[in-house]
Amino acid sequence: MQRLAVINVVGLTENHIGIHTPNISRLVRGSVVKLIPSLPAVTCTVQSSMLTGSTPTEHGVVANGWHERETSDTSFWRQENDLVQGEKVWDALHAIDSNFMVANMFWWFNMHSSVDIAVTPRPVYLENGGKLPDIWANPSSLRASLQKQFGQFPLFKFWGPAAGIESTKWDVDATIEVEKTYSPTLTLIYIPHLDYSMQRVGPDHSSISEELRAVDGQVGRLIDHCEERDINVCILSEYGIESVSDAVAINRVLRDGGFLTIRMELGREYLDASSSRAFAVPDHQIAHVYVRSETDIENVA
């Protein structure tokens, strides 16, 4: 059976493939198919669409996070795979051949799914509110063995203002080790580096050429490993980052309109979502606006 590795280089577009990406360029050889991403074009939504072949209306992942009216909680980056409705690609493949082995390396909603091998970021949350870098893995033994071999997972280099190539290198090291150990039929690999680089400075900044070279070096390691082991490689991206010139502080607009409620705690203002007539949960290019009463919808709009 021909094996396949799908490398998700998030933020990569056709315009980036060239002099700064020799490894990626060698692989694609001019063969590029354009993807029209789901709306919103954010990680959790687009990955869920890719893995189910359905729309956000069907699989239910309408953003990276959303508000639950029943609990009055707004949560981002939840990880349980059962939040994604519909048949996943690995379930369809398992139905065809029970020996088909799938490894999911850092694609999202990766906890407690039916993949055979899974590794995903999962901090240890402390009683004092702090958190420690860690991963969740299946088989669970991978959690200790991978971190013993490659060091503690660099969580704070994976996302946020300090994100850097260190986390991508860790992902690649772990993926190569998993492939050597288990020889999965399908391997899904998430490469986060370009996303945060472009969010920090924009897609046209002079530093992006260096970031492209850095991520191409790590992707090149994966390509070389796969070619040595006769594994086909597909490189894709969830979305591209575009330059912007402005933003809307939508909850301030709703507050000025008298729809938003705040509360004071220790001298600071906090959003009181469930007491608000309307509030927004922004997520990059879109915001979901929650309106408590149907009679307010027209005025909020």
Side-chain angles (χ1 to χ4, degrees):
M1 182 181 295
Q2 180 62 60
R3 295 194 290 148
L4 174 66
V6 179
I7 306 174
N8 181 357
V9 188
V10 61
L12 183 72
T13 68
E14 186 176 3
N15 293 335
H16 297 132
I17 300 173
I19 188 172
H20 302 302
T21 58
N23 294 302
I24 295 173
S25 299
R26 171 172 57 88
L27 181 73
V28 300
R29 297 186 183 94
S31 175
V32 177
V33 176
K34 292 185 177 180
L35 168 74
I36 299 175
S38 306
L39 180 70
V42 293
T43 291
C44 293
T45 302
V46 178
Q47 287 189 10
S48 296
S49 293
M50 287 179 176
L51 295 176
T52 63
S54 61
T55 66
T57 303
E58 297 166 311
H59 60 62
V61 180
V62 296
N64 289 326
W66 53 87
H67 183 76
E68 299 286 358
R69 296 180 188 273
E70 296 81 4
T71 60
S72 298
D73 288 328
T74 302
S75 300
F76 275 69
W77 301 107
R78 291 180 287 185
Q79 295 181 279
E80 288 294 327
N81 189 255
D82 283 349
L83 289 167
V84 185
Q85 304 301 306
E87 184 183 49
K88 285 79 172 181
V89 63
W90 48 82
D91 293 323
L93 293 168
H94 285 150
I96 296 170
D97 185 346
S98 60
N99 294 318
F100 203 104
M101 181 180 292
V102 179
N104 187 341
M105 303 297 292
F106 296 94
W107 284 49
W108 212 247
F109 295 115
N110 198 10
M111 288 183 64
H112 307 113
S113 79
S114 54
V115 296
D116 304 279
I117 303 150
V119 181
T120 196
R122 182 63 172 178
V124 174
Y125 294 97
L126 304 176
E127 69 280 358
N128 63 2
K131 62 183 177 181
L132 299 176
D134 208 339
I135 57 173
W136 183 91
N138 178 49
S140 58
S141 58
L142 278 173
R143 178 187 174 203
S145 64
L146 290 176
Q147 293 191 107
K148 180 179 181 181
Q149 187 167 355
F150 303 118
Q152 187 179 45
F153 175 68
L155 176 72
F156 303 119
K157 297 288 188 178
F158 188 83
W159 52 36
I165 198 65
E166 297 91 339
S167 61
T168 289
K169 182 179 183 301
W170 203 100
D171 291 5
V172 172
D173 287 339
T175 299
I176 291 174
E177 181 63 24
V178 164
E179 199 288 316
K180 288 178 179 177
T181 303
Y182 296 97
S183 298
T185 321
L186 172 64
T187 303
L188 305 168
I189 312 110
Y190 178 68
I191 302 294
H193 182 67
L194 282 182
D195 190 27
Y196 289 99
S197 300
M198 294 185 188
Q199 287 187 44
R200 272 195 293 259
V201 299
D204 303 319
H205 193 271
S206 59
S207 64
I208 296 302
S209 59
E210 185 61 34
E211 307 295 1
L212 285 166
R213 284 190 288 269
V215 80
D216 184 75
Q218 295 303 318
V219 172
R221 293 175 56 214
L222 284 171
I223 294 172
D224 290 344
H225 175 81
C226 290
E227 288 181 343
E228 289 172 5
R229 296 172 69 89
D230 193 30
I231 302 169
N232 284 343
V233 177
C234 171
I235 294 178
L236 56 79
S237 174
E238 301 159 12
Y239 49 78
I241 303 290
E242 295 186 355
S243 296
V244 297
S245 58
D246 201 359
V248 176
I250 190 166
N251 277 318
R252 292 182 185 177
V253 174
L254 291 171
R255 181 177 181 177
D256 291 342
F259 294 102
L260 200 76
T261 300
I262 63 163
R263 68 179 189 274
M264 297 298 296
E265 291 186 3
L266 301 176
R268 295 184 177 184
E269 295 182 343
Y270 289 86
L271 169 66
D272 192 349
S274 293
S275 295
S276 298
R277 290 166 58 197
F279 69 95
V281 180
D283 190 7
H284 295 290
Q285 70 181 142
I286 60 99
H288 287 93
V289 180
Y290 293 79
V291 184
R292 190 166 57 176
S293 171
E294 289 187 12
T295 59
D296 275 334
I297 290 177
E298 184 176 350
N299 287 331
V300 169

